Amino acid sequence: MTSHSLSVASLVASSALPLAAAWPDAPHRGSAFNPPTPPPAPAPSLTHHEHIGFELGWDYAHHHLCPPAPYAQDPSPLFTGLLAGQAAFGDRALQPTRFVRKWLQLRLHAWLRGRSVELLQVTPHYLQQLDVSHCPIRRVALSAAAADGSHVDGLTGASGASGGVDASVDRVRNDAGYAAGNLAVMSTQANHAKAAYGFRDAMKFARELEAGKGSGKEAGKHAAVGGIHGLTAAQWSRVAVLCSLVEPLGHDEACGLPMLLLPPNRLHLLNPAQALQAFVSQQLLKPGWSQRVSRMEALLPGKASRRAFRDFFHALLPRVLEAGRTQEAHRARWAIEDAWRNPLVLARWSAFARQLSAAQCEALVVRASARQLGALSAHQHTEAQATEGWNLASRGYVPHGVLMERSDRSDRSDESDRSENADRSEGANRATRTDRADRADRADRSARQPQPIQALLPL
């Protein structure tokens, strides 16, 4: 439609070539010339995936960065957004931090796989709060180079220059997207091994390895590196506990799981019994735990539950103290996690937790947190808020659908011409004011809307 109108305009403007010569087969009605009008082309649509790619390219340009090859050269919504952003920002770009680089890399990797990213809460600052010095699964140091965001949920590369292993941002629950409450940082090897496995798969692997069946059919492909998919029984047990925190479980089942991995920062705990379990375990991470635990015990309903709570804590405490004092935060966490491997600790916890209902566990955490009895801050969410942005209905993928319908350019031009003709029919003063207001309004719209929409049109 656009190319045809341009060719007609160029022919009319040329005085060297008569219209009859230019259009020998065109019909003549006196002095009038009526060229054939082609049917209007269907208006293209803007999909969610295109919009996400354009916004990603725009943010790359906003921070004066380029996506890795070949995404910075191949025609795509990402490339279009990059060009539009470079034209808009020029040298007025923001200074990128290493967490901004990680944020952009996470979004790029998610976009290439069609995974959803919830951008309202998942920000560079949010990723900074997830940062850890050691992998919670393999307990190895993570390199500083990997913290720049070179590896995100499966992206691989060379080991870091600082001697540690590469880090990766993992979606703890594989059927959910990149959203607040579903992300944790771990080593790339642990992320690859975890892959799409969930709580029950990881628990099965741990039990097979503990029973001496790790070299069987399930682990045949990875027997050369030890364990199953390169992880030992203890490491698979940590994966299982990590996944169980974001998977809804029955109250009785949740009460029977050991806290072999303390929840990573900002993770949403969907099972109240495990939330209480983590809340009590983390008391030992901060001085003053004796007074806090005593005050928390007073919040329990009935003498039986208080006695059971004391029995449990007196079983947990000496196992933690056996590890000795340490000033390193990660070693303090490991000491608490390892104490949960003692069968007596788990047995006494299960006996205590099963005296409470899920609602009582949740209420106890809320009341204790309100009285500032926790070593760390805890925030309560509704069930809908806890999984907001996870896209569970689409299993963590970007929903397929049209974000908006684009109108045809020629239709917009015709509407603009008709509006201007109507303005000319009014008085001279009002026409002048209307034209000025119309130009200002169109300039404002061109600065806000058309760049993303027009840039996403087929090139």
Side-chain angles (χ1 to χ4, degrees), residues 251 272 276 300-301 353 355-367:
H251 180 65
L276 177 60
L300 293 172
Q355 294 184 25
L356 305 176
S357 65
Q360 287 176 317
C361 290
E362 183 176 0
L364 181 59
V365 173
V366 173
R367 293 177 62 191

Side-chain angles (χ1 to χ4, degrees), residues 317-446:
L317 180 59
R319 274 77 186 179
V320 176
L321 296 180
E322 286 175 359
R325 293 178 176 238
T326 178
Q327 299 299 323
E328 297 178 292
H330 62 277
R331 294 195 179 277
R333 294 173 65 91
W334 295 349
I336 297 174
E337 295 169 355
D338 291 341
W340 277 96
R341 292 195 170 277
N342 189 286
L344 180 62
V345 175
L346 179 58
R348 290 190 176 179
W349 164 258
S350 299
F352 159 69
R354 285 173 176 144
Q355 294 184 25
L356 305 176
S357 65
Q360 287 176 317
C361 290
E362 183 176 0
L364 181 59
V365 173
V366 173
R367 293 177 62 191
S369 182
R371 289 166 172 77
Q372 299 182 352
L373 299 182
L376 301 175
S377 175
H379 301 278
Q380 184 184 23
H381 298 282
T382 64
E383 185 176 355
Q385 290 174 337
T387 58
E388 184 179 5
W390 289 24
N391 277 333
L392 296 175
S394 60
R395 299 189 61 82
Y397 288 95
V398 175
H400 295 286
V402 175
L403 183 63
M404 66 179 68
E405 293 287 347
R406 304 194 200 100
S407 60
D408 187 74
R409 292 181 179 179
S410 62
D411 294 339
R412 293 198 300 269
S413 300
D414 294 341
E415 293 176 1
S416 177
D417 293 340
R418 287 194 297 268
S419 176
E420 292 178 0
N421 291 334
D423 290 339
R424 294 192 191 98
S425 64
E426 299 179 2
N429 293 335
R430 184 173 180 179
T432 303
R433 291 194 301 268
T434 303
D435 289 341
R436 290 175 179 173
D438 186 59
R439 285 196 300 270
D441 182 63
R442 280 182 293 180
D444 181 64
R445 288 201 306 269
S446 65

Side-chain angles (χ1 to χ4, degrees), residues 219-270:
K221 295 182 179 179
H222 302 274
V225 294
I228 298 179
H229 299 282
L231 299 184
T232 64
Q235 293 167 350
W236 274 117
S237 297
R238 297 185 196 112
V239 173
V241 172
L242 176 63
C243 294
S244 70
L245 298 174
V246 295
E247 294 185 19
L249 303 176
H251 180 65
D252 189 70
E253 183 179 15
C255 291
L257 295 177
M259 186 56 61
L260 299 178
L261 187 143
L262 293 177
N265 191 28
R266 305 299 299 271
L267 193 72
H268 290 177
L269 311 184
L270 302 188

Side-chain angles (χ1 to χ4, degrees), residues 117-180:
V117 180
E118 196 280 306
L119 295 178
L120 186 61
Q121 299 183 67
V122 179
T123 62
H125 177 67
Y126 180 86
L127 296 181
Q128 183 177 2
Q129 298 179 47
L130 303 184
D131 198 33
V132 293
S133 61
H134 289 70
C135 173
I137 305 299
R138 298 180 58 221
R139 293 184 173 179
V140 294
L142 301 176
S143 66
D148 290 340
S150 55
H151 309 286
V152 179
D153 201 13
L155 290 183
T156 60
S159 296
S162 62
V165 300
D166 295 332
S168 175
V169 179
D170 174 65
R171 290 173 298 109
V172 180
R173 185 165 170 176
N174 192 65
D175 63 344
Y178 292 91

